[in-house]
Amino acid sequence: MTHLLTMARLLLCNLEHIISLPGLYMSVKQTLVVIGNGMVGQHFLSSLVESTIKEHYEIITFCEEPRAAYDRVHLSAFFTGTTAAELSLVEDGFFDRHGITLHLGDKAASIDRATKTVTSAKGLTIAYDKLVLATGSYPFVPPVPGHDRAQCLVYRTIEDLEAIAAAAKTGKIGTVVGGGLLGLEAAKALMDLGLETHVVEFAPRLMAVQLDDAGGAMLRRKIENLGVIVHTGKNTSIITDGESCINKMCFADGEELETDIVLFSAGIRPRDDIARACGLEVGQRGGIVIDNQCRTSDENIYAIGECALWNGMIYGLVAPGYTMARTVVADLAGNDASFTGADMSTKLKLMGVDVASIGDAHAKTQGAMVYTYQNGASEIYKRLVVSQDKKQLLGAVLVGEASGYSTLLQYCLNGIELPENPDALILPHRSDESVGLGPDALPASAQICSCYDVTKGAICSAIEGGCMTMSALKAETKAATGCGGCSALLKSVLDSELAKQGFEVNTDICEHFAYTRQDLHNLIRVEQIKTFSDLLHKHGKGHGCEICKPTVGNILASQWNEHILEKDHLGLQDTNDTFLANMQKDGTYSVVPRITGGEISPDMLIALGQVGKKYNLYTKITGGQRVDLFGARVDQLPHIWKELIDAGFESGHAYGKSLRTVKSCVGSTWCRYGVDDSVGLAIELENRYKGLRSPHKIKFAVSGCTRECAEAQGKDVGVIATENGWNLYVCGNGGMKPRHADLFATGLDKETLIKYIDRFLSFYVRTADRLQRTSVWMENMEGGLDYLKSVVLEDKLGLCDQLEQQMQYVIDTYQCEWKNAIADEAKLKRFRHFINSDRPDDNVIFVEERGQIRPADENERKHFKLVEVA
Amino acid sequence: MAQWIDVCSVDDLQPDSGVCALVEGAQVAIFWMPETEAKVYAVGNYDPFGNANVLSRGLIGDIGGQPVVASPLYKQHYNLQTGVCLEDESVKIPVYAIRIDNGSVQVDLSSLPQDREPAL
Ligand SMILES: Cc1cc2nc3c(=O)[nH]c(=O)nc-3n(C[C@H](O)[C@H](O)[C@H](O)COP(=O)(O)OP(=O)(O)OC[C@H]3O[C@@H](n4cnc5c(N)ncnc54)[C@H](O)[C@@H]3O)c2cc1C
Ligand code: SF4
Ligand code: SF4
């Protein structure tokens, strides 16, 4: 007893001493300080906390910016509505959960290697055992006189973007200095902000690092077609007061350019000042020198990301930085790992133009041979660089069309032997011959996802472990969750592995048609097929089923818009469509008349109430701002509708795969905050698209201002009024898997808005799978939102005229299905429970609850039957 | 012994679709597939999963060569010749003998369940 007490006291007063007592073990944590919480710093932290060694460290990080790490790669999305919160790379509660101390908005000012301490700008001094520098880089601003004038800006942080947006409000002209990757991305942002946009490049061509002359010229032509004015071979000598604009740039050749904004994007420089000041070795042209374990010249200090100089190279891409981060975690854990350089191949979309560069694009390798394909009409340029023996791919350049990127990259990285005629890889495919490299040709070591370093082998074992879908695979391996560039390749690996495991990857709609819904749509449209039986005879087999019949019925309706109860179509419809009402659990139906935009007069409400009362229907307000009347028997439907139509109602198509409602807030007519007439627009849109049959139901909403009371961002098509015009959002979804809609286009006038929605809906109707909502449709689309934008906004497929015409046809041929049906004896014939008797179905039994009817439950039913018999 | 009675006329049927007839108190779902050999099928109208009289309003077609109706409520399939549910073979709905005779649709009374409720 006494002994124990003494022990306790000892423990309290002399911890260090006790720790060394034999038999008593207590680990003392070392302190690990990370300077910089950018993309790479954060990747380091999240890799570290997943590893077991995190237990050994007290982790502290300094973050100079006012917010923790965010996705700089997708920074430009900030201009199209993505918020800072959405760009964040840090999960909620990450720092707390893992006990990491984050010093936000505090910059590490100096390092004292002798005392092993870091002192911050706010005056904090912290002792470290291990130190990781992840300070990134800063935009290089050429020291021309006037570079620090008003509206001379850079493009690196969210604050930079806020400054650009503010400057664009008053300016008319913007000029980007630098025609590299980032410069062109910045130019796109200026264009989107509505500025006349110039790009000034010192080199004789755009993207001088990645492209050769011919590729650069092709890119230039494409970008000029988009409205950007490109000046190459220009050396800025001074920036001074402008006459028509805030600034004037004067060039060495005597020319001048008036511009409001000057946006420097002339390359990056590593942030090595703090390392330099404490005597760490830095490169001649900057960069903290590191070895293969990412150690600096001080063995307790690492450097990773864009501040690090490895083998004389600074990597200005995120993937190599991530690899460095993981290398340090492994090194701390005592595992073998080394950073041995990274591939700098890139593929991206610049202003809708695909550009890719792989490996030795400039054919600098001894004996390299070059193949070039140039198509002036389609503005495509491709170049292959191969080894002297034509067996190995050394590099490639693709402009205008980069679908072959993954294949080429795999050839290059894995040293796969080239086909006999390597040029087949860049020549357009004339027939069905496939020259792509199937996933089977890749070795298990092939890296599929470079952001998270996921190999084909890792993916295959995840698939064997039960990941059968893209989303499961992404969650398990993280592949395709970084830049997303590898998702097509990932999908093909998944498909091929599943096929090998005997899972047939069958996209046939059912056993009667060996086609997808999109194929069927094309057949029907191109061959002008008007009936199911015609389609079945020409392209199918058997008699059809409940999958293909409604699908074809739906396509026929969206293409030719004949009444769905015509003789040829009746047998194709689901019961809801057959009876133009929604079947409920007891076999009765519910009736939903259209209430456009949710606007209804008291008289109409009274009329609706009278019908409900007369037929004793259960009445409920729907989520789409209309009224649902339940409990109607089949034989009552025509009578109910006759009265509704006489009162001025029309079908609400609640039963169809079609436009449901356009929800609206009250908007500027009444609301104090309203910017525009949301109700008026909602009514116009609903009247325009009502009756359109589509792969699944479609919901719209219109809000009168950004307070968004109509919840437009949860709809397939959402419209929000702003001071500058209507903002269009698409592919949102409530329901089982909610999805926030994506901002699609901004500041639209009504005409343009409607044109875009016409195209969007027509394209959806044509290409979606059956029962695929717009959200899933877009997510499964190769190229996703960007591709959809290129089709709808830029008419990449040259389809927009057709899409608009098709929509106009559907609008012109609209009819109220109920009005037509009640005037047609033949169609009404089925609206009775028995074909040979006027009796109703005696199995339909209601009881009363809260003053209205509802179907009797099983117990009540037994009771009822007993009572009746007795 | 077969006991054929007239239920309705062929004109009352819907091609490739169903109607329901009241035959001696039983609800009979009648499907007409003019392009098949049998041409017309009759099964009970009651959906044992949904507990409602709705099968005549289901879509018909064939699955693996068997003629079927899919319940409009929860989409189970029933073989129109045997009444067996494809998703759960322990469930079977009644099937009735039916024919078209001279433009008239006839059901064989002797194929109706014997314990049926008396005609209403
Ligand atoms: C617009 C844009 C688009 C891009 N697109 C791509 C792309 O498509 N693909 C790609 O691979 N890469 C792209 N990049 C590059 C990519 O963002 C960088 O490679 C990546 O961010 C590097 O990460 P990092 O952590 O090294 O640097 P950063 O992300 O810059 O993080 C460094 C952080 O450290 C902070 N810091 C610096 N010094 C201190 C200090 N003393 N104390 C405390 N904090 C400090 C900085 O404020 C910063 O927050 C793009 C970059 C930009 C700007
Ligand atoms: S979205 Fe705006 S305009 Fe509409 S009700 Fe809300 S605050 Fe008013
Ligand atoms: S949420 Fe479920 S219960 Fe409610 S209406 Fe939809 S399907 Fe029916």
Side-chain angles (χ1 to χ4, degrees):
Chain A
M1 185 70 187
T2 12
H3 178 69
L4 267 179
L5 268 177
T6 335
M7 274 287 273
R9 206 166 298 130
L10 257 173
L11 261 169
L12 282 172
C13 57
N14 194 342
L15 221 102
E16 266 178 22
H17 184 69
I18 293 293
I19 288 155
S20 58
L21 269 184
L24 246 187
Y25 175 77
M26 200 168 151
S27 82
V28 180
K29 286 192 174 180
Q30 293 205 328
T31 305
L32 174 77
V33 175
V34 184
I35 300 183
N37 185 240
M39 295 192 74
V40 173
Q42 179 60 27
H43 189 78
F44 170 74
L45 292 178
S46 47
S47 310
L48 183 67
V49 297
E50 274 174 23
S51 128
T52 50
I53 53 157
K54 74 150 189 272
E55 310 299 337
H56 305 313
Y57 293 101
E58 178 74 45
I59 307 164
I60 296 166
T61 184
F62 285 99
C63 176
E64 171 191 38
E65 293 190 57
R67 54 177 67 78
Y70 52 89
D71 188 353
R72 224 179 282 291
V73 170
H74 294 105
L75 189 61
S76 299
F78 187 75
F79 280 133
T80 50
T82 305
T83 60
E86 284 163 341
L87 283 174
S88 172
L89 291 176
V90 184
E91 302 154 35
D92 275 346
F94 172 86
F95 294 105
D96 284 346
R97 194 162 55 250
H98 298 292
I100 299 174
T101 312
L102 166 74
H103 293 292
L104 204 61
D106 195 5
K107 177 180 169 179
S110 63
I111 302 168
D112 186 335
R113 288 165 55 205
T115 57
K116 287 177 86 179
T117 54
V118 176
T119 302
S120 79
K122 287 188 182 165
L124 222 58
T125 297
I126 288 176
Y128 65 82
D129 295 291
K130 298 280 177 196
L131 182 61
V132 176
L133 303 176
T135 50
S137 62
Y138 64 92
F140 171 64
V141 176
V144 289
H147 66 82
D148 49 1
R149 288 171 51 86
Q151 315 290 53
C152 290
L153 306 167
V154 294
Y155 201 90
R156 175 97 196 162
T157 64
I158 289 183
E159 286 67 31
D160 293 338
L161 267 62
E162 283 169 348
I164 295 168
K169 281 222 169 85
T170 51
K172 301 176 301 294
I173 303 180
T175 302
V176 176
V177 179
L181 279 179
L182 263 181
L184 294 177
E185 190 170 325
K188 161 98 166 63
L190 293 187
M191 282 247 295
D192 288 348
L193 288 169
L195 299 176
E196 175 186 318
T197 305
H198 297 255
V199 171
V200 172
E201 167 61 50
F202 176 71
R205 61 170 184 270
L206 292 176
M207 284 183 63
V209 182
Q210 291 88 356
L211 299 183
D212 56 14
D213 278 336
M218 186 71 80
L219 180 64
R220 174 181 188 145
R221 204 154 55 238
K222 293 195 85 122
I223 284 178
E224 285 182 333
N225 283 345
L226 295 170
V228 176
I229 304 145
V230 178
H231 315 262
T232 48
K234 284 270 182 280
N235 189 0
T236 312
S237 47
I238 183 169
I239 304 171
T240 68
D241 282 340
E243 277 149 41
S244 57
C245 293
I246 296 171
N247 291 306
K248 180 168 75 181
M249 302 175 68
C250 305
F251 303 114
D253 60 6
E255 280 187 35
E256 295 176 352
L257 178 62
E258 291 270 339
T259 181
D260 294 303
I261 299 176
V262 180
L263 190 52
F264 289 105
S265 181
I268 53 167
R269 293 292 180 270
R271 295 190 61 174
D272 55 11
D273 42 345
I274 185 174
R276 202 182 284 266
C278 71
L280 291 177
E281 186 184 345
V282 293
Q284 223 169 28
R285 296 170 57 216
I288 308 165
V289 174
I290 56 168
D291 63 11
N292 288 2
Q293 276 67 46
C294 302
R295 289 201 192 105
T296 65
S297 52
D298 180 328
E299 62 166 359
N300 290 315
I301 305 182
Y302 297 88
I304 54 178
E306 285 187 346
C307 63
L309 183 74
W310 178 86
N311 201 17
M313 278 277 287
I314 295 278
Y315 291 94
L317 293 175
V318 71
Y322 281 3
T323 310
M324 293 179 193
R326 290 188 297 263
T327 306
V328 174
V329 172
D331 196 57
L332 287 172
N335 297 334
D336 270 349
S338 42
F339 177 80
T340 50
D343 178 59
M344 293 290 276
S345 302
T346 25
K347 170 183 152 186
L348 67 166
K349 204 177 220 86
L350 290 169
M351 310 196 199
V353 182
D354 284 312
V355 179
S357 153
I358 294 174
D360 179 15
H362 295 288
K364 292 197 177 125
T365 313
Q366 180 79 36
M369 304 217 294
V370 171
Y371 294 88
T372 313
Y373 168 77
Q374 201 160 350
N375 179 338
S378 319
E379 300 190 318
I380 294 173
Y381 172 83
K382 298 182 180 184
R383 169 184 162 103
L384 278 191
V385 180
V386 305
S387 60
Q388 201 160 15
D389 60 2
K390 296 199 284 183
K391 292 230 159 90
Q392 301 292 314
L393 183 67
L394 301 174
V397 176
L398 309 170
V399 178
E401 208 274 324
S403 58
Y405 175 77
S406 313
T407 301
L408 294 176
L409 184 63
Q410 293 298 339
Y411 270 112
C412 189
L413 294 183
N414 297 303
I416 298 168
E417 190 167 318
L418 285 168
E420 198 174 291
N421 298 310
D423 53 352
L425 292 169
I426 51 169
L427 292 175
H429 312 180
R430 299 277 180 232
S431 62
D432 287 346
E433 61 179 319
S434 165
V435 292
L437 191 59
D440 287 352
L442 300 178
S445 61
Q447 189 188 49
I448 304 290
C449 171
S450 55
C451 289
Y452 286 98
D453 183 24
V454 189
T455 60
K456 183 185 158 194
I459 289 166
C460 292
S461 43
I463 297 172
E464 266 164 39
C467 298
M468 308 281 214
T469 60
M470 279 292 274
S471 48
L473 205 50
K474 283 182 180 179
E476 175 70 22
T477 65
K478 284 202 173 165
T481 58
C483 71
C486 62
S487 55
L489 187 60
L490 183 68
K491 175 90 171 62
S492 69
V493 173
L494 175 65
D495 287 349
S496 117
E497 288 306 302
L498 286 182
K500 270 188 240 158
Q501 291 183 17
F503 291 95
E504 207 162 316
V505 197
N506 189 341
T507 53
D508 296 355
I509 173 159
C510 67
E511 65 178 66
H512 304 102
F513 291 98
Y515 297 98
T516 62
R517 180 186 178 278
Q518 187 176 353
D519 296 335
L520 291 178
H521 197 289
N522 289 338
L523 289 171
I524 287 170
R525 183 164 41 84
V526 175
E527 298 182 14
Q528 306 253 321
I529 293 173
K530 301 274 170 77
T531 65
F532 178 79
S533 59
D534 197 10
L535 184 73
L536 191 68
H537 287 140
K538 286 194 176 132
H539 300 287
K541 56 173 194 266
H543 299 285
C545 64
E546 87 288 354
I547 305 285
C548 60
K549 282 181 173 180
T551 305
V552 171
N554 177 280
I555 298 173
L556 291 171
S558 52
Q559 185 63 29
W560 311 120
N561 214 14
E562 293 175 352
H563 199 287
I564 55 170
L565 299 190
E566 292 302 338
K567 204 159 168 281
D568 282 331
H569 309 316
L570 177 76
L572 307 179
Q573 314 300 337
D574 272 321
T575 187
N576 285 1
D577 274 319
T578 313
F579 294 96
L580 306 174
N582 294 43
M583 182 184 271
Q584 301 301 326
K585 60 196 274 189
D586 61 347
T588 64
Y589 290 86
S590 84
V591 170
V592 190
R594 188 166 297 289
I595 299 179
T596 39
E599 182 183 85
I600 185 164
S601 68
D603 280 340
M604 294 287 271
L605 258 183
I606 289 169
L608 204 53
Q610 278 167 344
V611 171
K613 196 163 179 177
K614 175 165 172 188
Y615 292 92
N616 192 21
L617 303 172
Y618 168 80
T619 310
K620 187 175 187 307
I621 308 287
T622 71
Q625 301 185 331
R626 37 193 199 177
V627 178
D628 207 340
L629 308 166
F630 291 80
R633 299 186 317 257
V634 227
D635 54 290
Q636 292 177 317
L637 289 172
H639 302 287
I640 291 173
W641 269 106
K642 169 98 183 35
E643 295 192 26
L644 289 173
I645 285 166
D646 288 347
F649 286 101
E650 58 181 347
S651 166
H653 290 93
Y655 45 80
K657 304 284 176 248
S658 52
L659 174 77
R660 293 290 166 83
T661 59
V662 182
K663 189 175 171 182
S664 71
C665 75
V666 74
S668 60
T669 327
W670 289 90
C671 174
R672 297 179 280 135
Y673 303 111
V675 175
D676 211 331
D677 177 15
S678 44
V679 180
L681 181 70
I683 292 175
E684 187 170 342
L685 292 177
E686 186 159 342
N687 279 325
R688 185 173 180 82
Y689 302 113
K690 65 187 175 190
L692 169 72
R693 298 280 155 157
S694 46
H696 209 317
K697 61 187 170 195
I698 308 172
K699 297 180 175 179
F700 278 41
V702 183
S703 279
C705 80
T706 51
R707 283 176 183 75
E708 248 283 67
C709 298
E711 298 166 334
Q713 292 167 92
K715 302 285 188 260
D716 298 278
V717 174
V719 182
I720 301 177
T722 74
E723 303 282 352
N724 304 324
W726 301 104
N727 282 2
L728 172 62
Y729 290 79
V730 297
C731 303
N733 202 172
M736 228 181 320
K737 243 184 114 190
R739 178 180 192 281
H740 207 280
D742 287 300
L743 183 60
F744 199 62
T746 56
L748 305 174
D749 56 33
K750 196 169 76 186
E751 213 175 300
T752 316
L753 172 77
I754 288 179
K755 187 169 72 181
Y756 288 167
I757 301 178
D758 278 3
R759 295 175 181 176
F760 170 79
L761 290 179
S762 278
F763 191 54
Y764 167 59
V765 166
R766 252 194 206 194
T767 59
D769 250 338
R770 68 180 268 277
L771 303 187
Q772 193 175 42
R773 290 292 295 268
T774 56
S775 53
V776 182
W777 168 65
M778 196 268 277
E779 279 174 353
N780 285 353
M781 194 181 285
E782 205 171 306
L785 183 67
D786 285 340
Y787 176 74
L788 189 58
K789 280 188 184 167
S790 72
V791 173
V792 172
L793 307 181
E794 294 152 21
D795 199 7
K796 176 175 168 153
L797 303 180
L799 266 185
C800 287
D801 280 348
Q802 263 187 45
L803 296 175
E804 285 172 38
Q805 279 164 17
Q806 179 57 29
M807 185 57 72
Q808 198 54 49
Y809 175 79
V810 172
I811 293 162
D812 292 343
T813 51
Y814 168 80
Q815 49 181 331
C816 169
E817 285 168 343
W818 264 112
K819 193 167 183 178
N820 172 300
I822 56 172
D824 184 343
E825 276 307 316
K827 288 184 185 130
L828 289 185
K829 217 165 164 182
R830 270 194 90 178
F831 285 88
R832 48 201 299 203
H833 190 77
F834 297 115
I835 197 68
N836 57 349
S837 159
D838 286 334
R839 283 176 182 284
D841 178 6
D842 62 352
N843 188 49
V844 171
I845 301 165
F846 299 123
V847 294
E848 220 180 85
E849 186 171 276
R850 295 188 294 272
Q852 298 205 66
I853 59 153
R854 68 157 171 80
D857 65 30
E858 219 175 314
N859 270 327
E860 291 162 339
R861 239 164 227 286
K862 279 184 202 144
H863 181 68
F864 181 89
K865 289 225 161 136
L866 278 177
V867 170
E868 201 193 39
V869 173
Chain B
M1 207 190 69
Q3 236 187 308
W4 295 102
I5 61 156
D6 287 354
V7 171
C8 60
S9 121
V10 172
D11 299 338
D12 293 328
L13 301 181
Q14 302 281 351
D16 294 306
S17 185
V19 296
C20 176
L22 186 62
V23 184
E24 300 284 302
Q27 295 203 13
V28 178
I30 301 176
F31 300 100
W32 188 31
M33 295 164 89
E35 294 191 13
T36 63
E37 220 171 289
K39 287 214 173 349
V40 53
Y41 298 94
V43 299
N45 192 35
Y46 188 76
D47 174 354
F49 288 96
N51 297 318
N53 287 313
V54 294
L55 289 183
S56 61
R57 295 178 235 158
L59 274 166
I60 51 174
D62 61 335
I63 300 241
Q66 320 175 46
V68 293
V69 59
S71 161
L73 281 171
Y74 302 113
K75 315 291 172 202
Q76 292 88 356
H77 298 90
Y78 300 94
N79 183 316
L80 290 176
Q81 284 163 326
T82 64
V84 172
C85 173
L86 269 56
E87 283 76 18
D88 179 352
E89 289 188 5
S90 68
V91 176
K92 187 170 176 284
I93 56 170
V95 284
Y96 308 117
I98 186 165
R99 69 181 187 192
I100 298 177
D101 186 41
N102 226 343
S104 170
V105 179
Q106 301 179 326
V107 169
D108 176 5
L109 279 188
S110 68
S111 69
L112 288 186
Q114 294 311 305
D115 60 344
R116 67 185 186 270
E117 288 173 32
L120 292 164

